[in-house]
Amino acid sequence: MSSELLAPLDLAFWHLESSDHPMHLGALARFGPLPAHGDPSTVLDLLASRAAAIPRLRMKVRDVLLPVGGAAWTTDKRFDVRRHVREIALPGADFAAEAARLAGELMERPVERGLPPWEMYLLTGAPDGSFAVLVKLHHALADGMRAVAIGAGIFDEIAAVRRYGGRRTRAVPPRSWLPGPGRIMGAARERIEDIGRAVEVGASVVGHSFLRAGQIDVRTPSALAAHSSGTRRVATAVLDLDRVHRVRRTTGGTANDVLLAVVAGALRRWLDGRGEPLPADPRALVPVSRRRPGAPAGNGNSLSAYLLTLPVTEPDPATRLASVRRDMDRNKADGPLRGAGAVAVLADQLPSLAHRFGAPLASGAARLLFDVLVTNVPLPRSALSLGGAPLRELFPMAPLARGQSLAVAMSPYAGRVHVGLVADGKAVPDIEALAAALGDELDLLEDLGGV
């Protein structure tokens, strides 16, 4: 892999970034002690060697002449993995709390643009010999599923497959660069369909934006839509996946419906605990992958999203869950390529020059579409380890859009759902209270179902 144009959506994420709004994904992974009480500091060399062996992590972004306004991934000929992988020793008294605090500080710093846009931090200092790894990948490099595929290369199980060679596929002869009539007609049909889809999505986005603009009072921003301070705080929560499924079996719908209802109830509980009047029901952007099940993760982003009204003002938790399930069923019936939530599909149809000059202007428009990001990032189901140390917890972290103060990311792993909350540090200084409210809300839903 020597050079590859950034896809339109990747280019959009690249240009949406500013110093106060870094556009990287993150994950905080917590590991148990190494076998035979090994020294966690030795993990640094292991991280560095495995990260250096992942071709995608050796790529940086450079501008290109054509297409106008475009950019390309190119191999960094001066790549030095030690500029990306670092160790930080933390006080051991409350290692988990210190790791979350440091994660917030590191998440507010953009990755360096002249280098491959990623960073890893080994966090050591826990009295029991456990340790953590914080990973930052620019959103232009990957969406959530692709980020998991890239980051998984550091784990023992994935690295072993790469080292000894996976299943080989037969080479396919390259196609002629000169397209035949059938390919020309097929490409023309696809382009016409793309244009039609872009017009449909664009009309929906504009319509919803004008509607939301009339509902938002910019003079009194809520806790979810405060002026950006450029600071970040991170909090984590762990939910029992079996309990989530027990609620699902009793009430119907999907496990993700239950988790979205938990987020809605937790927001209500948290805002009430602040003594604030409940705002109008916030709208959540729920990303959905456009990759086909079982298909390779591929490079770059392949995203759409659903828009979901979180019934925060509804006092009855059963009604909240029913509302979430009904709206998500409607979203799924429409599909991920329709509606205002499919703004990422629209971005895929825009030319490079539009992203280069339009992204700074569009960055402030997120609040016109949604109030909070809520995403579910799937992880491998098998047990994972690093240097023999078992992976105990992995908390995903999502970036904040301009004018928004909270992003919620969830990942199921080893029978539990790990929730990573990223918040504007000044707008939401009590993010730990929201994290605690998630568990309380799951308790409530479980009690209501009599399970």
Side-chain angles (χ1 to χ4, degrees):
M1 183 186 298
S2 58
S3 186
E4 169 196 326
L5 285 176
L6 269 72
L9 186 54
D10 303 346
L11 194 62
F13 284 127
W14 187 249
H15 291 305
L16 279 170
E17 185 170 66
S18 69
S19 58
D20 287 342
H21 294 88
M23 290 301 298
H24 49 253
L25 308 170
L28 179 62
R30 296 175 182 166
F31 296 87
L34 292 166
H37 306 288
D39 182 0
S41 296
T42 62
V43 177
L44 188 68
D45 291 336
L46 187 61
L47 273 177
S49 62
R50 290 182 178 174
I54 300 173
R56 197 72 182 169
L57 296 184
R58 305 175 71 94
M59 307 292 285
K60 66 178 182 179
V61 176
R62 64 175 178 85
D63 291 337
V64 295
L65 293 177
L66 292 174
V68 178
W73 294 107
T74 185
T75 301
D76 185 357
K77 296 180 180 179
R78 298 182 178 180
F79 176 75
D80 180 0
V81 71
R82 294 293 179 173
R83 301 184 67 175
H84 300 264
V85 180
R86 306 175 185 112
E87 180 181 0
I88 300 178
L90 298 174
D94 191 346
F95 182 79
E98 285 297 319
R101 178 196 60 78
L102 181 61
E105 293 181 4
L106 295 174
M107 284 295 289
E108 67 189 42
R109 305 176 190 173
V111 295
E112 188 172 341
R113 287 202 156 214
L115 302 174
W118 64 275
E119 298 169 357
M120 288 186 190
Y121 295 88
L122 172 64
L123 310 181
T124 59
D128 63 353
S130 62
F131 60 94
V133 175
L134 175 68
V135 180
K136 293 166 55 177
L137 295 173
H138 199 285
H139 212 331
L141 187 64
D143 55 24
M145 290 184 66
R146 179 59 181 164
V148 170
I150 293 174
I154 70 171
F155 294 115
D156 298 339
E157 295 73 14
I158 311 301
V161 172
R162 177 180 290 113
R163 179 180 178 183
Y164 295 109
R167 183 176 59 188
R168 296 185 178 182
T169 58
R170 183 179 299 177
V172 178
R175 291 184 178 182
S176 168
W177 64 269
L178 184 63
R183 289 176 61 193
I184 292 176
M185 292 300 296
R189 282 195 300 269
E190 289 178 3
R191 188 55 185 160
I192 291 172
E193 292 172 357
D194 289 344
I195 293 172
R197 185 181 301 126
V199 170
E200 180 182 358
V201 174
S204 181
V205 170
V206 171
H208 280 79
S209 298
F210 277 117
L211 178 62
R212 290 272 293 165
Q215 298 171 347
I216 294 176
D217 185 353
V218 296
R219 297 168 300 176
T220 55
S222 73
L224 298 180
H227 295 296
S228 302
S229 68
T231 61
R232 297 290 182 270
R233 287 181 68 89
V234 167
T236 62
V238 178
L239 306 175
D240 187 278
L241 187 56
D242 285 341
R243 295 176 63 202
V244 171
H245 282 297
R246 282 199 292 271
V247 175
R248 173 193 60 80
R249 287 192 293 268
T250 302
T251 61
T254 67
N256 197 49
D257 294 341
V258 176
L259 291 171
L260 289 167
V262 165
V263 171
L267 285 171
R268 177 185 173 86
R269 190 184 295 264
W270 170 65
L271 290 168
D272 186 62
R274 281 180 143 210
E276 296 182 7
L278 292 176
D281 287 338
R283 181 177 290 179
L285 187 76
V286 183
V288 56
S289 176
R290 289 191 281 146
R291 304 186 197 280
R292 295 181 179 178
N299 295 327
N301 289 268
S302 183
L303 289 172
S304 185
Y306 297 137
L307 284 177
L308 172 70
T309 298
L310 295 174
V312 169
T313 57
E314 170 55 55
D316 179 53
T319 304
R320 285 198 296 268
L321 177 53
S323 174
V324 167
R325 186 172 62 246
R326 182 178 60 252
D327 286 356
M328 286 301 290
D329 286 345
R330 184 183 302 116
N331 275 326
K332 293 170 187 175
D334 291 340
L337 301 182
R338 295 180 179 272
V343 64
V345 180
L346 176 63
D348 256 343
Q349 313 304 322
L350 297 178
S352 302
L353 200 59
H355 288 301
R356 180 175 291 272
F357 293 105
L361 298 175
S363 62
R367 189 182 171 198
L368 296 179
L369 282 178
F370 65 98
D371 303 290
V372 58
L373 176 73
V374 185
T375 184
N376 195 323
V377 182
L379 294 177
R381 294 185 179 182
S382 58
L384 299 171
S385 61
L386 178 59
L391 175 65
R392 300 298 191 198
E393 300 170 326
L394 194 151
F395 301 98
M397 293 177 283
L400 296 181
R402 184 180 297 276
Q404 297 177 337
S405 55
L406 177 66
V408 182
M410 301 176 282
S411 282
Y413 174 74
R416 295 183 292 177
V417 180
H418 300 91
V419 186
L421 305 173
V422 177
D424 185 283
K426 291 187 177 179
V428 189
D430 56 342
I431 187 64
E432 293 81 6
L434 177 57
L438 292 166
D440 294 337
E441 189 63 20
L442 181 57
D443 291 342
L444 182 58
L445 285 175
E446 197 173 26
D447 291 342
L448 287 172
V451 293

